[in-house]
Amino acid sequence: MSLGQIGLLDAVGFVAMALVDVPTGALADKFGRKYLLAAGAFLYALGMIVITSRVFSVWFFLGFALWNISDPMFNGANTALLYESLDEPHEAESFQKILGRANIVMQASQLVASVGGVARIPVGNA
């Protein structure tokens, strides 16, 4: 894929995320944040499996759509669930501390995965 094609695909993905952001928040309020997080994890996993198909195939676009639709299911619902799960949810200091630790773990794992992924990409004719 060219950089332009990747950019266009990402643009469509960001629009899809924006369109489903509010409805997923309403679903979290109606059915519960845990169920929405579980559904989001399932759709994310399914999207990652399907996206491994041939580039520009129908399956590839379906996997990319599932990936982008699942992202808003995590966005906000995980933070709200953490806030509601604390013994003293109105204590902002402990919430910020735990959220900060969770963000550090998430970013560190993304760093390790990115470095590991780049190390395996063949360069040139190798």
Side-chain angles (χ1 to χ4, degrees), residues 69-120:
I69 289 170
S70 69
D71 189 68
M73 293 179 163
F74 295 106
N75 187 15
N78 57 354
T79 307
L81 182 63
L82 170 64
Y83 185 78
E84 292 171 352
S85 299
L86 293 175
D87 290 334
E88 300 174 26
H90 300 291
E91 191 174 318
E93 184 178 308
S94 64
F95 170 73
Q96 292 296 333
K97 186 185 295 183
I98 294 170
L99 185 61
R101 288 179 185 161
N103 285 334
I104 287 171
V105 169
M106 182 175 57
Q107 290 180 1
S109 64
Q110 289 174 345
L111 173 69
V112 169
S114 296
V115 170
V118 169
R120 294 180 183 264

Side-chain angles (χ1 to χ4, degrees), residues 1 29 40 42 44 48 55 68 79 85 91 103 117-118:
M1 291 178 68
D29 291 339
F42 175 76
Y44 181 82
M48 290 296 102
V55 176
N68 285 290
T79 307
S85 299
E91 191 174 318
N103 285 334
V118 169

Side-chain angles (χ1 to χ4, degrees), residues 1-9:
M1 291 178 68
S2 71
L3 287 178
Q5 291 168 329
I6 293 170
L8 181 61
L9 194 59

